[in-house]
Amino acid sequence: MDDITERHNAKMKKIKAARDKMMETKTEEKGLIIVHTGPGKGKSSSGFGMIMRCIAHGMPCAVVQFIKGNWDTGEKTFLREKFSDECRFFVSGEGFTWETQDRERDIAAAENGWRIAKEQILDPEIQFVLLDEINIALRYDYLDINEVVDFLMTKKPEMSHVVLTGRNAKPELIEAADLVTEMTLVKHPFKDLGVKAQKGVEF
């Protein structure tokens, strides 16, 4: 065994020992409030990746999709056609707010989505709920942030997970969440190259 291999093995043994010691203290389980936000791509994609994990583990789950209602998204087609028994899929929005140009309709759609979301979160059969793009509805005050946070903090079942996606997550939600990930934007072809949203990448 050469010196490089020996040094590498010794380093990995130390890392493993430290990791094992740390993992001994991680024994609790709880339902999490998870926020995916930020200007970068991947917020919804990550949320739907977690939905795939739930399906694989036999965890009943639900999606409530805000804002993207008129998009023929791959995830909506896939889940409704292939996994409708494992994952309930609801659409509340009629499209991005600059497309509808009707605040009252947007508010009504968001409120209907939030009503459905609460039903799914409270349903004892559902263990994981993805609220896709709800942060957009909260950003434009289509929903009351205090009501949403209070519900998640006081009414969400102890072992249920809820993921809320969308850029510009409000500070109150970030404060209440257990796990927050901010997607940063480094490069994007829409901005840098004028490339439109494409199947399999954005939707």
Side-chain angles (χ1 to χ4, degrees):
M1 187 181 300
D2 59 37
D3 288 345
I4 293 175
T5 301
E6 285 185 8
R7 288 197 299 272
H8 174 79
N9 289 350
K11 181 178 180 180
M12 292 304 109
K13 285 180 182 178
K14 287 182 180 179
I15 291 174
K16 183 179 184 330
R19 180 78 179 174
D20 289 346
K21 185 175 181 180
M22 178 188 71
M23 292 303 293
E24 289 175 1
T25 68
K26 311 299 182 185
T27 58
E28 298 299 317
E29 289 188 4
K30 63 169 289 191
L32 302 177
I33 300 170
I34 302 168
V35 174
H36 296 162
T37 192
K41 175 179 162 35
K43 299 176 286 294
S44 294
S45 301
S46 178
F48 281 106
M50 297 171 87
I51 288 288
M52 296 300 106
R53 289 175 175 169
C54 289
I55 292 172
H57 287 299
M59 293 172 59
C61 52
V63 175
V64 183
Q65 198 163 52
F66 295 76
I67 309 299
K68 296 177 181 172
N70 62 352
W71 277 38
D72 184 20
T73 62
E75 58 266 22
K76 179 170 66 176
T77 301
F78 180 71
L79 290 171
R80 282 185 169 174
E81 292 184 359
K82 305 291 186 182
F83 294 100
S84 59
D85 291 337
E86 295 85 353
C87 182
R88 303 171 185 171
F89 200 110
F90 304 90
V91 175
S92 70
E94 297 183 63
F96 289 99
T97 187
W98 54 85
E99 293 172 344
T100 63
Q101 299 186 18
D102 188 330
R103 180 175 170 80
E104 294 307 313
R105 274 172 53 193
D106 288 340
I107 290 173
E111 289 177 343
N112 184 53
W114 177 234
R115 177 187 60 78
I116 295 169
K118 290 187 287 185
E119 290 173 353
Q120 299 309 305
I121 293 168
L122 291 175
D123 189 328
E125 293 186 5
I126 299 297
Q127 300 176 29
F128 187 105
V129 180
L130 170 60
L131 306 181
D132 187 40
E133 301 289 3
I134 191 174
N135 289 341
I136 304 299
L138 290 167
R139 174 189 180 187
Y140 287 111
D141 297 320
Y142 297 162
L143 299 172
D144 183 342
I145 182 63
N146 294 318
E147 178 192 346
V148 171
V149 168
D150 180 69
F151 177 86
L152 293 173
M153 297 293 288
T154 64
K155 303 285 177 46
K156 181 185 76 63
E158 183 179 359
M159 293 307 296
S160 295
H161 304 295
V162 179
V163 178
L164 306 93
T165 75
R167 61 178 61 202
N168 299 116
K170 290 207 169 185
E172 297 95 327
L173 181 60
I174 290 174
E175 177 65 25
D178 300 291
L179 171 60
V180 179
T181 300
E182 183 173 15
M183 313 294 187
T184 59
L185 177 61
V186 178
K187 292 176 71 174
H188 198 298
F190 180 84
K191 179 180 179 182
D192 298 333
L193 303 174
V195 176
K196 68 179 182 179
Q198 299 182 86
K199 290 180 181 179
V201 180
E202 275 83 20
F203 63 92

